[in-house]
Short mmCIF file of all heavy atoms in Angstrom, two decimals:
data_model
loop_
_atom_site.label_atom_id
_atom_site.label_comp_id
_atom_site.label_asym_id
_atom_site.label_seq_id
_atom_site.Cartn_x
_atom_site.Cartn_y
_atom_site.Cartn_z
N LEU A 317 -4.48 -73.95 -38.76
CA LEU A 317 -4.40 -72.49 -38.63
C LEU A 317 -3.28 -71.92 -39.48
O LEU A 317 -2.25 -72.54 -39.67
CB LEU A 317 -4.16 -72.13 -37.16
CG LEU A 317 -5.14 -72.74 -36.15
CD1 LEU A 317 -4.69 -72.44 -34.74
CD2 LEU A 317 -6.54 -72.26 -36.40
N GLN A 318 -3.53 -70.69 -39.95
CA GLN A 318 -2.53 -69.95 -40.71
C GLN A 318 -1.98 -68.84 -39.84
O GLN A 318 -2.65 -68.34 -38.93
CB GLN A 318 -3.19 -69.29 -41.92
CG GLN A 318 -3.36 -70.19 -43.09
CD GLN A 318 -3.96 -69.43 -44.26
OE1 GLN A 318 -4.85 -69.94 -44.87
NE2 GLN A 318 -3.49 -68.25 -44.57
N LEU A 319 -0.79 -68.42 -40.17
CA LEU A 319 -0.16 -67.32 -39.46
C LEU A 319 -0.88 -66.02 -39.78
O LEU A 319 -1.26 -65.77 -40.91
CB LEU A 319 1.31 -67.23 -39.88
CG LEU A 319 2.20 -66.34 -39.05
CD1 LEU A 319 2.22 -66.77 -37.60
CD2 LEU A 319 3.61 -66.36 -39.62
N ASN A 320 -1.08 -65.19 -38.78
CA ASN A 320 -1.76 -63.90 -38.94
C ASN A 320 -0.81 -62.81 -38.47
O ASN A 320 -0.68 -62.58 -37.27
CB ASN A 320 -3.06 -63.89 -38.12
CG ASN A 320 -3.76 -62.56 -38.20
OD1 ASN A 320 -3.49 -61.74 -39.06
ND2 ASN A 320 -4.67 -62.33 -37.26
N ILE A 321 -0.16 -62.19 -39.42
CA ILE A 321 0.70 -61.05 -39.08
C ILE A 321 0.14 -59.85 -39.83
O ILE A 321 0.22 -59.78 -41.06
CB ILE A 321 2.17 -61.28 -39.47
CG1 ILE A 321 2.74 -62.44 -38.67
CG2 ILE A 321 2.98 -60.01 -39.23
CD1 ILE A 321 4.19 -62.75 -38.99
N THR A 322 -0.45 -58.96 -39.08
CA THR A 322 -0.95 -57.71 -39.68
C THR A 322 -0.06 -56.59 -39.18
O THR A 322 0.16 -56.44 -37.98
CB THR A 322 -2.41 -57.46 -39.28
OG1 THR A 322 -2.51 -57.52 -37.87
CG2 THR A 322 -3.33 -58.50 -39.89
N GLY A 323 0.45 -55.82 -40.10
CA GLY A 323 1.36 -54.74 -39.72
C GLY A 323 2.74 -55.29 -39.43
O GLY A 323 3.17 -56.29 -39.97
N SER A 324 3.43 -54.66 -38.52
CA SER A 324 4.79 -55.10 -38.21
C SER A 324 4.74 -56.17 -37.12
O SER A 324 4.00 -56.05 -36.15
CB SER A 324 5.64 -53.91 -37.75
OG SER A 324 5.09 -53.37 -36.57
N TRP A 325 5.53 -57.20 -37.30
CA TRP A 325 5.57 -58.29 -36.33
C TRP A 325 6.57 -57.92 -35.26
O TRP A 325 7.74 -57.62 -35.51
CB TRP A 325 5.98 -59.59 -37.03
CG TRP A 325 6.04 -60.75 -36.10
CD1 TRP A 325 5.00 -61.31 -35.42
CD2 TRP A 325 7.19 -61.51 -35.74
NE1 TRP A 325 5.43 -62.36 -34.66
CE2 TRP A 325 6.78 -62.51 -34.84
CE3 TRP A 325 8.53 -61.45 -36.08
CZ2 TRP A 325 7.65 -63.44 -34.29
CZ3 TRP A 325 9.40 -62.36 -35.54
CH2 TRP A 325 8.95 -63.35 -34.65
N THR A 326 6.12 -57.96 -34.01
CA THR A 326 7.00 -57.60 -32.91
C THR A 326 7.50 -58.83 -32.17
O THR A 326 8.39 -58.72 -31.36
CB THR A 326 6.27 -56.67 -31.91
OG1 THR A 326 5.09 -57.33 -31.46
CG2 THR A 326 5.91 -55.36 -32.57
N GLY A 327 6.88 -60.00 -32.45
CA GLY A 327 7.32 -61.26 -31.85
C GLY A 327 7.29 -61.22 -30.35
O GLY A 327 6.94 -60.22 -29.77
N PRO A 328 7.63 -62.26 -29.66
CA PRO A 328 7.99 -63.56 -30.21
C PRO A 328 6.78 -64.47 -30.45
O PRO A 328 6.91 -65.49 -31.10
CB PRO A 328 8.88 -64.15 -29.11
CG PRO A 328 8.32 -63.61 -27.85
CD PRO A 328 7.84 -62.22 -28.20
N THR A 329 5.59 -64.10 -29.92
CA THR A 329 4.42 -64.97 -30.04
C THR A 329 3.81 -64.88 -31.42
O THR A 329 3.55 -63.78 -31.92
CB THR A 329 3.36 -64.60 -28.97
OG1 THR A 329 3.97 -64.72 -27.69
CG2 THR A 329 2.18 -65.53 -29.04
N LEU A 330 3.60 -66.04 -32.02
CA LEU A 330 2.95 -66.10 -33.33
C LEU A 330 1.43 -66.11 -33.13
O LEU A 330 0.92 -66.81 -32.26
CB LEU A 330 3.37 -67.37 -34.08
CG LEU A 330 4.88 -67.53 -34.31
CD1 LEU A 330 5.18 -68.88 -34.95
CD2 LEU A 330 5.42 -66.40 -35.16
N HIS A 331 0.74 -65.32 -33.92
CA HIS A 331 -0.72 -65.26 -33.85
C HIS A 331 -1.31 -65.99 -35.05
O HIS A 331 -0.82 -65.86 -36.17
CB HIS A 331 -1.19 -63.80 -33.81
CG HIS A 331 -0.77 -63.11 -32.55
ND1 HIS A 331 -1.51 -63.15 -31.40
CD2 HIS A 331 0.34 -62.39 -32.26
CE1 HIS A 331 -0.89 -62.48 -30.45
NE2 HIS A 331 0.25 -62.02 -30.95
N TRP A 332 -2.39 -66.74 -34.79
CA TRP A 332 -2.97 -67.62 -35.80
C TRP A 332 -4.39 -67.19 -36.12
O TRP A 332 -5.05 -66.51 -35.33
CB TRP A 332 -2.96 -69.06 -35.30
CG TRP A 332 -1.60 -69.51 -34.88
CD1 TRP A 332 -1.11 -69.54 -33.61
CD2 TRP A 332 -0.55 -69.95 -35.72
NE1 TRP A 332 0.19 -69.99 -33.61
CE2 TRP A 332 0.56 -70.25 -34.91
CE3 TRP A 332 -0.42 -70.14 -37.10
CZ2 TRP A 332 1.76 -70.71 -35.41
CZ3 TRP A 332 0.78 -70.60 -37.60
CH2 TRP A 332 1.85 -70.88 -36.77
N GLU A 333 -4.87 -67.62 -37.28
CA GLU A 333 -6.24 -67.36 -37.70
C GLU A 333 -6.72 -68.52 -38.56
O GLU A 333 -5.92 -69.32 -39.05
CB GLU A 333 -6.35 -66.03 -38.46
CG GLU A 333 -5.56 -66.01 -39.77
CD GLU A 333 -5.63 -64.68 -40.48
OE1 GLU A 333 -6.52 -63.87 -40.16
OE2 GLU A 333 -4.80 -64.44 -41.36
N ALA A 334 -8.05 -68.59 -38.73
CA ALA A 334 -8.63 -69.65 -39.55
C ALA A 334 -9.94 -69.16 -40.13
O ALA A 334 -10.61 -68.30 -39.56
CB ALA A 334 -8.88 -70.90 -38.71
N GLY A 335 -10.30 -69.72 -41.26
CA GLY A 335 -11.58 -69.39 -41.87
C GLY A 335 -11.59 -69.71 -43.34
O GLY A 335 -10.54 -69.82 -43.98
N PRO A 336 -12.79 -69.87 -43.91
CA PRO A 336 -12.90 -70.24 -45.33
C PRO A 336 -12.31 -69.21 -46.27
O PRO A 336 -11.82 -69.54 -47.35
CB PRO A 336 -14.41 -70.38 -45.55
CG PRO A 336 -15.08 -69.93 -44.32
CD PRO A 336 -14.07 -69.74 -43.26
N ALA A 337 -12.30 -67.94 -45.88
CA ALA A 337 -11.73 -66.91 -46.75
C ALA A 337 -10.22 -67.02 -46.85
O ALA A 337 -9.61 -66.43 -47.75
CB ALA A 337 -12.11 -65.52 -46.20
N LEU A 338 -9.61 -67.79 -45.96
CA LEU A 338 -8.16 -67.91 -45.94
C LEU A 338 -7.65 -69.12 -46.72
O LEU A 338 -6.48 -69.45 -46.66
CB LEU A 338 -7.67 -68.01 -44.50
CG LEU A 338 -8.05 -66.82 -43.61
CD1 LEU A 338 -7.68 -67.10 -42.18
CD2 LEU A 338 -7.38 -65.56 -44.11
N GLY A 339 -8.53 -69.84 -47.37
CA GLY A 339 -8.10 -71.01 -48.13
C GLY A 339 -8.30 -72.29 -47.36
O GLY A 339 -9.41 -72.61 -46.97
N ARG A 340 -7.21 -73.00 -47.11
CA ARG A 340 -7.30 -74.33 -46.50
C ARG A 340 -7.39 -74.32 -44.98
O ARG A 340 -7.44 -75.37 -44.36
CB ARG A 340 -6.11 -75.18 -46.93
CG ARG A 340 -6.12 -75.52 -48.40
CD ARG A 340 -4.98 -76.45 -48.73
NE ARG A 340 -3.69 -75.94 -48.35
CZ ARG A 340 -2.85 -75.29 -49.14
NH1 ARG A 340 -3.18 -75.08 -50.39
NH2 ARG A 340 -1.69 -74.89 -48.69
N SER A 341 -7.39 -73.17 -44.35
CA SER A 341 -7.43 -73.17 -42.88
C SER A 341 -8.87 -73.31 -42.40
O SER A 341 -9.82 -72.89 -43.05
CB SER A 341 -6.81 -71.89 -42.34
OG SER A 341 -7.63 -70.78 -42.63
N PHE A 342 -9.03 -73.94 -41.25
CA PHE A 342 -10.36 -74.17 -40.68
C PHE A 342 -10.21 -74.42 -39.19
O PHE A 342 -9.12 -74.69 -38.70
CB PHE A 342 -11.05 -75.37 -41.34
CG PHE A 342 -10.23 -76.63 -41.28
CD1 PHE A 342 -10.30 -77.47 -40.18
CD2 PHE A 342 -9.37 -76.95 -42.32
CE1 PHE A 342 -9.53 -78.62 -40.12
CE2 PHE A 342 -8.60 -78.11 -42.27
CZ PHE A 342 -8.68 -78.94 -41.16
N ILE A 343 -11.33 -74.33 -38.50
CA ILE A 343 -11.34 -74.62 -37.07
C ILE A 343 -12.71 -75.18 -36.71
O ILE A 343 -13.73 -74.57 -37.01
CB ILE A 343 -10.96 -73.37 -36.25
CG1 ILE A 343 -10.72 -73.73 -34.79
CG2 ILE A 343 -11.97 -72.27 -36.39
CD1 ILE A 343 -9.99 -72.66 -34.01
N HIS A 344 -12.73 -76.39 -36.14
CA HIS A 344 -13.96 -77.06 -35.72
C HIS A 344 -13.76 -77.58 -34.30
O HIS A 344 -13.01 -78.54 -34.10
CB HIS A 344 -14.31 -78.23 -36.64
CG HIS A 344 -14.54 -77.84 -38.05
ND1 HIS A 344 -15.66 -77.16 -38.47
CD2 HIS A 344 -13.79 -78.01 -39.16
CE1 HIS A 344 -15.58 -76.94 -39.77
NE2 HIS A 344 -14.45 -77.45 -40.22
N GLY A 345 -14.39 -76.97 -33.35
CA GLY A 345 -14.28 -77.41 -31.96
C GLY A 345 -13.46 -76.47 -31.11
O GLY A 345 -14.01 -75.80 -30.24
N PRO A 346 -12.14 -76.38 -31.33
CA PRO A 346 -11.36 -75.43 -30.54
C PRO A 346 -11.73 -74.00 -30.92
O PRO A 346 -12.46 -73.77 -31.88
CB PRO A 346 -9.91 -75.72 -30.93
CG PRO A 346 -9.92 -77.04 -31.60
CD PRO A 346 -11.29 -77.20 -32.18
N GLY A 347 -11.21 -73.05 -30.18
CA GLY A 347 -11.46 -71.65 -30.49
C GLY A 347 -10.16 -70.89 -30.59
O GLY A 347 -9.08 -71.43 -30.36
N LEU A 348 -10.27 -69.63 -30.95
CA LEU A 348 -9.12 -68.74 -30.98
C LEU A 348 -9.33 -67.64 -29.96
O LEU A 348 -10.40 -67.04 -29.89
CB LEU A 348 -8.93 -68.13 -32.37
CG LEU A 348 -8.34 -69.06 -33.43
CD1 LEU A 348 -8.37 -68.41 -34.80
CD2 LEU A 348 -6.92 -69.44 -33.06
N GLU A 349 -8.32 -67.39 -29.15
CA GLU A 349 -8.36 -66.34 -28.15
C GLU A 349 -7.15 -65.45 -28.36
O GLU A 349 -6.01 -65.87 -28.08
CB GLU A 349 -8.34 -66.95 -26.75
CG GLU A 349 -8.43 -65.94 -25.64
CD GLU A 349 -8.43 -66.61 -24.29
OE1 GLU A 349 -9.50 -67.10 -23.88
OE2 GLU A 349 -7.36 -66.63 -23.64
N LYS A 350 -7.38 -64.27 -28.91
CA LYS A 350 -6.30 -63.32 -29.22
C LYS A 350 -5.23 -63.96 -30.09
O LYS A 350 -4.03 -63.82 -29.86
CB LYS A 350 -5.69 -62.77 -27.94
CG LYS A 350 -6.66 -61.99 -27.09
CD LYS A 350 -6.02 -61.50 -25.82
CE LYS A 350 -7.05 -60.83 -24.95
NZ LYS A 350 -6.52 -60.47 -23.64
N GLY A 351 -5.65 -64.76 -31.07
CA GLY A 351 -4.72 -65.39 -31.99
C GLY A 351 -4.08 -66.66 -31.49
O GLY A 351 -3.22 -67.22 -32.15
N GLN A 352 -4.49 -67.12 -30.30
CA GLN A 352 -3.94 -68.35 -29.73
C GLN A 352 -5.03 -69.42 -29.68
O GLN A 352 -6.20 -69.10 -29.53
CB GLN A 352 -3.40 -68.10 -28.32
CG GLN A 352 -2.40 -66.97 -28.23
CD GLN A 352 -1.26 -67.10 -29.21
OE1 GLN A 352 -0.62 -68.13 -29.30
NE2 GLN A 352 -1.00 -66.05 -29.96
N LEU A 353 -4.65 -70.66 -29.78
CA LEU A 353 -5.60 -71.77 -29.83
C LEU A 353 -6.14 -72.09 -28.44
O LEU A 353 -5.37 -72.35 -27.51
CB LEU A 353 -4.92 -73.00 -30.43
CG LEU A 353 -5.84 -74.14 -30.79
CD1 LEU A 353 -6.76 -73.75 -31.92
CD2 LEU A 353 -5.03 -75.34 -31.19
N LEU A 354 -7.47 -72.10 -28.30
CA LEU A 354 -8.14 -72.38 -27.04
C LEU A 354 -8.82 -73.74 -27.14
O LEU A 354 -9.63 -73.98 -28.03
CB LEU A 354 -9.18 -71.30 -26.73
CG LEU A 354 -10.11 -71.53 -25.55
CD1 LEU A 354 -9.31 -71.60 -24.25
CD2 LEU A 354 -11.16 -70.43 -25.48
N ILE A 355 -8.49 -74.63 -26.21
CA ILE A 355 -9.03 -76.00 -26.20
C ILE A 355 -10.35 -76.02 -25.44
O ILE A 355 -10.43 -75.54 -24.32
CB ILE A 355 -8.01 -76.98 -25.56
CG1 ILE A 355 -6.70 -76.99 -26.34
CG2 ILE A 355 -8.60 -78.37 -25.44
CD1 ILE A 355 -6.82 -77.42 -27.77
N HIS A 356 -11.39 -76.60 -26.08
CA HIS A 356 -12.71 -76.69 -25.45
C HIS A 356 -13.04 -78.10 -24.96
O HIS A 356 -13.98 -78.28 -24.20
CB HIS A 356 -13.81 -76.27 -26.43
CG HIS A 356 -13.79 -74.81 -26.75
ND1 HIS A 356 -13.93 -73.84 -25.80
CD2 HIS A 356 -13.65 -74.16 -27.93
CE1 HIS A 356 -13.88 -72.64 -26.37
NE2 HIS A 356 -13.70 -72.81 -27.66
N LEU A 357 -12.31 -79.11 -25.41
CA LEU A 357 -12.61 -80.49 -25.05
C LEU A 357 -11.34 -81.17 -24.53
O LEU A 357 -10.32 -81.22 -25.23
CB LEU A 357 -13.13 -81.25 -26.28
CG LEU A 357 -13.43 -82.73 -26.11
CD1 LEU A 357 -14.58 -82.93 -25.13
CD2 LEU A 357 -13.79 -83.34 -27.45
N GLU A 358 -11.42 -81.69 -23.31
CA GLU A 358 -10.26 -82.38 -22.74
C GLU A 358 -10.01 -83.68 -23.49
O GLU A 358 -10.93 -84.36 -23.92
CB GLU A 358 -10.53 -82.69 -21.27
CG GLU A 358 -9.36 -83.34 -20.57
CD GLU A 358 -9.56 -83.47 -19.08
OE1 GLU A 358 -10.31 -82.68 -18.50
OE2 GLU A 358 -8.95 -84.39 -18.52
N GLY A 359 -8.74 -84.03 -23.65
CA GLY A 359 -8.39 -85.28 -24.29
C GLY A 359 -6.97 -85.27 -24.81
O GLY A 359 -6.19 -84.36 -24.52
N ILE A 360 -6.66 -86.29 -25.57
CA ILE A 360 -5.33 -86.40 -26.18
C ILE A 360 -5.41 -85.80 -27.59
O ILE A 360 -6.30 -86.14 -28.36
CB ILE A 360 -4.86 -87.85 -26.22
CG1 ILE A 360 -4.70 -88.37 -24.78
CG2 ILE A 360 -3.54 -87.98 -26.99
CD1 ILE A 360 -4.39 -89.83 -24.68
N TYR A 361 -4.49 -84.92 -27.88
CA TYR A 361 -4.44 -84.22 -29.16
C TYR A 361 -3.14 -84.50 -29.87
O TYR A 361 -2.10 -84.68 -29.24
CB TYR A 361 -4.55 -82.70 -28.95
CG TYR A 361 -5.93 -82.21 -28.61
CD1 TYR A 361 -6.44 -82.31 -27.33
CD2 TYR A 361 -6.74 -81.65 -29.59
CE1 TYR A 361 -7.71 -81.86 -27.03
CE2 TYR A 361 -8.00 -81.19 -29.30
CZ TYR A 361 -8.49 -81.30 -28.01
OH TYR A 361 -9.75 -80.86 -27.72
#
């Protein structure tokens, strides 16, 4: 995931994004919920 700061950053939580338009970022399996990583499969990461 890449950092997603649109507009002014108010912090402290960093918001993330992924996708082919962003270059090397990608997401396969997990999801994004309001810029945070959502785990869909239980296990060791």
